[in-house]
Structures are given as structure tokens and as C-alpha cells.
Short mmCIF file of all heavy atoms in Angstrom, two decimals:
data_model
loop_
_atom_site.label_atom_id
_atom_site.label_comp_id
_atom_site.label_asym_id
_atom_site.label_seq_id
_atom_site.Cartn_x
_atom_site.Cartn_y
_atom_site.Cartn_z
N SER A 1 103.58 87.45 98.29
CA SER A 1 103.38 88.89 98.42
C SER A 1 101.90 89.22 98.60
O SER A 1 101.03 88.49 98.13
CB SER A 1 103.93 89.62 97.19
OG SER A 1 103.20 89.25 96.05
N ALA A 2 101.65 90.32 99.29
CA ALA A 2 100.27 90.76 99.50
C ALA A 2 99.70 91.29 98.20
O ALA A 2 100.40 91.91 97.40
CB ALA A 2 100.24 91.84 100.57
N ARG A 3 98.41 91.05 98.01
CA ARG A 3 97.72 91.54 96.82
C ARG A 3 97.58 93.06 96.94
O ARG A 3 97.13 93.57 97.96
CB ARG A 3 96.36 90.89 96.72
CG ARG A 3 95.70 91.10 95.39
CD ARG A 3 94.46 90.29 95.28
NE ARG A 3 93.44 90.90 96.13
CZ ARG A 3 92.34 90.30 96.52
NH1 ARG A 3 92.11 89.06 96.18
NH2 ARG A 3 91.46 90.91 97.27
N PRO A 4 97.97 93.82 95.91
CA PRO A 4 97.86 95.28 96.01
C PRO A 4 96.40 95.71 96.07
O PRO A 4 95.53 95.09 95.46
CB PRO A 4 98.53 95.78 94.72
CG PRO A 4 98.53 94.62 93.79
CD PRO A 4 98.50 93.38 94.64
N ARG A 5 96.15 96.74 96.82
CA ARG A 5 94.80 97.29 96.92
C ARG A 5 94.49 98.08 95.66
O ARG A 5 95.36 98.70 95.08
CB ARG A 5 94.70 98.21 98.12
CG ARG A 5 94.81 97.42 99.39
CD ARG A 5 94.32 98.22 100.54
NE ARG A 5 94.42 97.36 101.70
CZ ARG A 5 93.58 97.37 102.69
NH1 ARG A 5 92.60 98.21 102.68
NH2 ARG A 5 93.71 96.56 103.69
N PRO A 6 93.21 98.07 95.27
CA PRO A 6 92.84 98.86 94.10
C PRO A 6 92.99 100.36 94.38
O PRO A 6 92.97 100.78 95.53
CB PRO A 6 91.37 98.50 93.86
CG PRO A 6 90.91 97.75 95.06
CD PRO A 6 92.11 97.33 95.83
N GLU A 7 93.17 101.10 93.33
CA GLU A 7 93.26 102.55 93.47
C GLU A 7 91.95 103.09 94.04
O GLU A 7 90.88 102.56 93.74
CB GLU A 7 93.51 103.20 92.10
CG GLU A 7 94.90 102.97 91.57
CD GLU A 7 95.95 103.67 92.40
OE1 GLU A 7 95.76 104.86 92.75
OE2 GLU A 7 96.96 103.02 92.71
N PRO A 8 92.01 104.15 94.84
CA PRO A 8 90.76 104.71 95.37
C PRO A 8 89.93 105.34 94.26
O PRO A 8 90.46 105.82 93.26
CB PRO A 8 91.23 105.77 96.37
CG PRO A 8 92.63 106.07 96.02
CD PRO A 8 93.19 104.85 95.33
N LEU A 9 88.62 105.28 94.46
CA LEU A 9 87.70 105.96 93.55
C LEU A 9 87.72 107.44 93.89
O LEU A 9 87.78 107.81 95.07
CB LEU A 9 86.29 105.41 93.72
CG LEU A 9 86.11 103.91 93.58
CD1 LEU A 9 84.71 103.50 94.01
CD2 LEU A 9 86.36 103.50 92.15
N GLN A 10 87.68 108.29 92.89
CA GLN A 10 87.61 109.74 93.11
C GLN A 10 86.15 110.17 93.00
O GLN A 10 85.54 110.00 91.95
CB GLN A 10 88.48 110.49 92.10
CG GLN A 10 89.96 110.29 92.31
CD GLN A 10 90.44 110.89 93.61
OE1 GLN A 10 90.18 112.04 93.92
NE2 GLN A 10 91.14 110.08 94.40
N LEU A 11 85.61 110.70 94.09
CA LEU A 11 84.23 111.17 94.12
C LEU A 11 84.22 112.69 93.98
O LEU A 11 84.97 113.38 94.67
CB LEU A 11 83.55 110.79 95.43
CG LEU A 11 83.60 109.32 95.83
CD1 LEU A 11 82.85 109.12 97.14
CD2 LEU A 11 83.01 108.45 94.74
N HIS A 12 83.38 113.18 93.11
CA HIS A 12 83.25 114.62 92.89
C HIS A 12 81.81 115.02 93.22
O HIS A 12 80.93 114.89 92.41
CB HIS A 12 83.60 114.98 91.45
CG HIS A 12 85.01 114.61 91.10
ND1 HIS A 12 86.09 115.40 91.41
CD2 HIS A 12 85.53 113.52 90.51
CE1 HIS A 12 87.20 114.82 91.02
NE2 HIS A 12 86.89 113.66 90.46
N HIS A 13 81.62 115.46 94.46
CA HIS A 13 80.28 115.82 94.91
C HIS A 13 80.17 117.32 95.12
O HIS A 13 79.29 117.80 95.80
CB HIS A 13 79.92 115.06 96.20
CG HIS A 13 80.63 115.55 97.42
ND1 HIS A 13 80.00 116.23 98.42
CD2 HIS A 13 81.92 115.46 97.79
CE1 HIS A 13 80.87 116.54 99.36
NE2 HIS A 13 82.04 116.07 99.00
N GLY A 14 81.02 118.04 94.54
CA GLY A 14 81.13 119.48 94.74
C GLY A 14 82.61 119.77 94.92
O GLY A 14 83.40 119.52 94.04
N SER A 15 82.96 120.21 96.09
CA SER A 15 84.36 120.49 96.36
C SER A 15 84.66 120.00 97.76
O SER A 15 83.87 120.23 98.66
CB SER A 15 84.60 121.99 96.27
OG SER A 15 85.89 122.33 96.66
N PRO A 16 85.71 119.39 98.00
CA PRO A 16 86.80 118.92 97.15
C PRO A 16 86.55 117.49 96.67
O PRO A 16 85.62 116.84 97.13
CB PRO A 16 87.99 118.96 98.11
CG PRO A 16 87.39 118.55 99.42
CD PRO A 16 86.00 119.18 99.42
N PRO A 17 87.42 116.97 95.78
CA PRO A 17 87.30 115.56 95.41
C PRO A 17 87.65 114.68 96.61
O PRO A 17 88.50 115.02 97.42
CB PRO A 17 88.32 115.39 94.29
CG PRO A 17 89.24 116.54 94.40
CD PRO A 17 88.51 117.65 95.07
N LEU A 18 86.95 113.56 96.73
CA LEU A 18 87.14 112.64 97.85
C LEU A 18 87.70 111.31 97.35
O LEU A 18 87.39 110.87 96.26
CB LEU A 18 85.79 112.36 98.53
CG LEU A 18 85.07 113.57 99.09
CD1 LEU A 18 83.67 113.19 99.55
CD2 LEU A 18 85.87 114.18 100.24
N ALA A 19 88.52 110.68 98.19
CA ALA A 19 89.09 109.37 97.88
C ALA A 19 88.33 108.30 98.64
O ALA A 19 88.33 108.29 99.88
CB ALA A 19 90.57 109.34 98.24
N LEU A 20 87.65 107.41 97.90
CA LEU A 20 86.92 106.29 98.49
C LEU A 20 87.71 105.02 98.17
O LEU A 20 87.90 104.68 97.01
CB LEU A 20 85.51 106.21 97.91
CG LEU A 20 84.65 105.04 98.38
CD1 LEU A 20 84.41 105.11 99.89
CD2 LEU A 20 83.33 105.01 97.61
N HIS A 21 88.15 104.34 99.21
CA HIS A 21 89.00 103.16 99.06
C HIS A 21 88.14 101.89 99.09
O HIS A 21 87.58 101.57 100.14
CB HIS A 21 90.03 103.10 100.19
CG HIS A 21 90.92 104.30 100.23
ND1 HIS A 21 92.15 104.32 99.63
CD2 HIS A 21 90.75 105.52 100.80
CE1 HIS A 21 92.71 105.50 99.83
NE2 HIS A 21 91.88 106.24 100.54
N PRO A 22 88.05 101.16 97.97
CA PRO A 22 87.35 99.87 97.97
C PRO A 22 88.31 98.78 98.43
O PRO A 22 89.14 98.30 97.67
CB PRO A 22 86.94 99.70 96.50
CG PRO A 22 87.97 100.46 95.74
CD PRO A 22 88.47 101.56 96.63
N TRP A 23 88.23 98.39 99.69
CA TRP A 23 89.21 97.47 100.24
C TRP A 23 88.88 96.01 100.01
O TRP A 23 89.77 95.19 99.92
CB TRP A 23 89.39 97.73 101.73
CG TRP A 23 90.26 98.92 101.99
CD1 TRP A 23 91.01 99.60 101.08
CD2 TRP A 23 90.47 99.55 103.24
NE1 TRP A 23 91.68 100.62 101.69
CE2 TRP A 23 91.37 100.62 103.02
CE3 TRP A 23 89.99 99.33 104.51
CZ2 TRP A 23 91.79 101.45 104.04
CZ3 TRP A 23 90.41 100.17 105.52
CH2 TRP A 23 91.30 101.21 105.29
N ARG A 24 87.62 95.66 100.02
CA ARG A 24 87.30 94.25 99.82
C ARG A 24 85.96 94.16 99.10
O ARG A 24 85.02 94.85 99.44
CB ARG A 24 87.22 93.51 101.14
CG ARG A 24 87.02 92.00 100.92
CD ARG A 24 87.05 91.19 102.20
NE ARG A 24 85.90 91.48 103.03
CZ ARG A 24 85.96 91.82 104.32
NH1 ARG A 24 87.11 91.92 104.92
NH2 ARG A 24 84.87 92.05 105.00
N ASP A 25 85.90 93.28 98.12
CA ASP A 25 84.66 93.01 97.39
C ASP A 25 84.14 91.67 97.87
O ASP A 25 84.89 90.70 97.93
CB ASP A 25 84.93 93.00 95.89
CG ASP A 25 83.66 93.03 95.08
OD1 ASP A 25 82.61 93.41 95.63
OD2 ASP A 25 83.70 92.68 93.90
N ALA A 26 82.88 91.63 98.24
CA ALA A 26 82.27 90.39 98.70
C ALA A 26 80.76 90.54 98.62
O ALA A 26 80.25 91.64 98.44
CB ALA A 26 82.69 90.09 100.14
N GLU A 27 80.06 89.43 98.73
CA GLU A 27 78.60 89.47 98.76
C GLU A 27 78.16 89.77 100.19
O GLU A 27 78.69 89.20 101.13
CB GLU A 27 78.03 88.11 98.31
CG GLU A 27 78.28 87.81 96.85
CD GLU A 27 77.60 88.80 95.92
OE1 GLU A 27 76.46 89.21 96.19
OE2 GLU A 27 78.24 89.17 94.91
N GLY A 28 77.19 90.66 100.33
CA GLY A 28 76.68 90.99 101.65
C GLY A 28 76.53 92.49 101.81
O GLY A 28 76.77 93.26 100.87
N PRO A 29 76.17 92.93 103.00
CA PRO A 29 75.96 94.37 103.22
C PRO A 29 77.28 95.13 103.18
O PRO A 29 78.27 94.70 103.79
CB PRO A 29 75.32 94.43 104.61
CG PRO A 29 75.73 93.16 105.28
CD PRO A 29 75.89 92.14 104.19
N PRO A 30 77.32 96.26 102.46
CA PRO A 30 78.55 97.04 102.40
C PRO A 30 78.80 97.80 103.69
O PRO A 30 77.87 98.26 104.36
CB PRO A 30 78.32 98.00 101.23
CG PRO A 30 76.86 98.01 101.00
CD PRO A 30 76.28 96.77 101.58
N LEU A 31 80.06 97.94 104.06
CA LEU A 31 80.51 98.65 105.25
C LEU A 31 81.36 99.83 104.80
O LEU A 31 82.29 99.67 104.00
CB LEU A 31 81.33 97.73 106.15
CG LEU A 31 81.97 98.35 107.38
CD1 LEU A 31 80.91 98.84 108.36
CD2 LEU A 31 82.91 97.35 108.05
N LEU A 32 81.04 101.03 105.33
CA LEU A 32 81.84 102.22 105.07
C LEU A 32 82.49 102.66 106.37
O LEU A 32 81.80 102.92 107.36
CB LEU A 32 80.96 103.36 104.52
CG LEU A 32 81.66 104.71 104.32
CD1 LEU A 32 82.83 104.61 103.34
CD2 LEU A 32 80.65 105.76 103.87
N LEU A 33 83.81 102.73 106.37
CA LEU A 33 84.59 103.13 107.55
C LEU A 33 84.97 104.60 107.43
O LEU A 33 85.44 105.05 106.38
CB LEU A 33 85.85 102.27 107.66
CG LEU A 33 85.63 100.77 107.77
CD1 LEU A 33 86.96 100.03 107.68
CD2 LEU A 33 84.89 100.43 109.05
N LEU A 34 84.79 105.34 108.54
CA LEU A 34 85.12 106.76 108.60
C LEU A 34 86.13 106.99 109.72
O LEU A 34 85.91 106.57 110.86
CB LEU A 34 83.85 107.58 108.85
CG LEU A 34 82.71 107.37 107.85
CD1 LEU A 34 81.45 108.09 108.30
CD2 LEU A 34 83.13 107.83 106.47
N HIS A 35 87.21 107.66 109.42
CA HIS A 35 88.33 107.83 110.36
C HIS A 35 88.13 108.98 111.33
O HIS A 35 87.24 109.82 111.18
CB HIS A 35 89.64 107.99 109.58
CG HIS A 35 89.65 109.19 108.69
ND1 HIS A 35 89.88 110.46 109.16
CD2 HIS A 35 89.44 109.31 107.36
CE1 HIS A 35 89.83 111.32 108.15
NE2 HIS A 35 89.56 110.64 107.04
N GLU A 36 89.03 109.05 112.31
CA GLU A 36 89.03 110.13 113.29
C GLU A 36 89.61 111.41 112.69
O GLU A 36 90.13 111.39 111.57
CB GLU A 36 89.81 109.71 114.54
CG GLU A 36 91.31 109.70 114.33
CD GLU A 36 91.92 108.33 114.47
OE1 GLU A 36 91.27 107.44 115.02
OE2 GLU A 36 93.04 108.15 114.00
N LEU A 37 89.59 112.48 113.48
CA LEU A 37 89.97 113.80 112.99
C LEU A 37 91.38 113.86 112.41
O LEU A 37 91.59 114.42 111.35
CB LEU A 37 89.81 114.85 114.10
CG LEU A 37 90.02 116.30 113.67
CD1 LEU A 37 89.05 116.68 112.56
CD2 LEU A 37 89.85 117.22 114.86
N HIS A 38 92.35 113.31 113.07
CA HIS A 38 93.73 113.43 112.58
C HIS A 38 94.21 112.16 111.87
O HIS A 38 95.41 111.95 111.72
CB HIS A 38 94.67 113.78 113.73
CG HIS A 38 94.38 115.12 114.30
ND1 HIS A 38 94.65 116.29 113.63
CD2 HIS A 38 93.79 115.48 115.46
CE1 HIS A 38 94.25 117.31 114.36
NE2 HIS A 38 93.73 116.84 115.47
N GLY A 39 93.26 111.35 111.41
CA GLY A 39 93.62 110.13 110.72
C GLY A 39 93.32 110.20 109.24
O GLY A 39 93.16 111.28 108.66
N ASN A 40 93.25 109.05 108.63
CA ASN A 40 92.83 108.90 107.24
C ASN A 40 92.38 107.45 107.08
O ASN A 40 92.42 106.68 108.04
CB ASN A 40 93.95 109.29 106.27
CG ASN A 40 95.21 108.49 106.46
OD1 ASN A 40 95.16 107.26 106.56
ND2 ASN A 40 96.34 109.16 106.51
N ALA A 41 91.98 107.09 105.89
CA ALA A 41 91.46 105.74 105.67
C ALA A 41 92.48 104.67 106.07
O ALA A 41 92.11 103.64 106.63
CB ALA A 41 91.06 105.57 104.21
N GLU A 42 93.74 104.92 105.83
CA GLU A 42 94.77 103.92 106.13
C GLU A 42 94.82 103.57 107.61
O GLU A 42 95.21 102.45 107.97
CB GLU A 42 96.14 104.40 105.65
CG GLU A 42 96.25 104.50 104.14
CD GLU A 42 96.01 103.17 103.43
OE1 GLU A 42 96.57 102.14 103.87
OE2 GLU A 42 95.24 103.15 102.46
N THR A 43 94.43 104.49 108.49
CA THR A 43 94.45 104.19 109.93
C THR A 43 93.41 103.16 110.31
O THR A 43 93.44 102.63 111.42
CB THR A 43 94.25 105.46 110.78
OG1 THR A 43 92.96 106.02 110.51
CG2 THR A 43 95.33 106.49 110.51
N LEU A 44 92.48 102.85 109.40
CA LEU A 44 91.43 101.87 109.68
C LEU A 44 91.69 100.51 109.04
O LEU A 44 90.83 99.63 109.10
CB LEU A 44 90.08 102.43 109.18
CG LEU A 44 89.63 103.72 109.88
CD1 LEU A 44 88.43 104.30 109.17
CD2 LEU A 44 89.34 103.46 111.34
N GLN A 45 92.86 100.33 108.45
CA GLN A 45 93.18 99.04 107.84
C GLN A 45 93.07 97.93 108.88
O GLN A 45 93.50 98.08 110.01
CB GLN A 45 94.60 99.04 107.30
CG GLN A 45 94.72 99.70 105.98
CD GLN A 45 96.10 99.47 105.39
OE1 GLN A 45 97.11 99.67 106.03
NE2 GLN A 45 96.12 99.04 104.15
N GLY A 46 92.46 96.85 108.49
CA GLY A 46 92.35 95.70 109.37
C GLY A 46 91.25 95.79 110.42
O GLY A 46 91.14 94.92 111.27
N VAL A 47 90.42 96.84 110.37
CA VAL A 47 89.38 97.03 111.38
C VAL A 47 88.28 95.99 111.27
O VAL A 47 87.75 95.54 112.28
CB VAL A 47 88.79 98.45 111.31
CG1 VAL A 47 87.51 98.58 112.08
CG2 VAL A 47 89.81 99.47 111.80
#
């Protein structure tokens, strides 16, 4: 079975709360993926 992804972090930077998905932990430069207008983080899985 696939390893379940961790729950997204809830960011509170004012309004509204944001969901930040930590998909992979590794050593090296962090990558932040941002989706298109009608998408969400899940549309970027495997990118």
C-alpha cells in the first residue's frame, strides 16, 4: 500500500486559513508548487 500523506499544515496569515501540503521530506532546497486557477494542490501530484 502507498504511504499516506501527512495532513496539511494550516497557515493563518490573516484571512483565510491556508492548507500547505508537505509532500516529501528530504535534504536539499525546498520546492513550493502553486496550482492553476481552477485547480488545487492535488492537481500537482507527481510533478
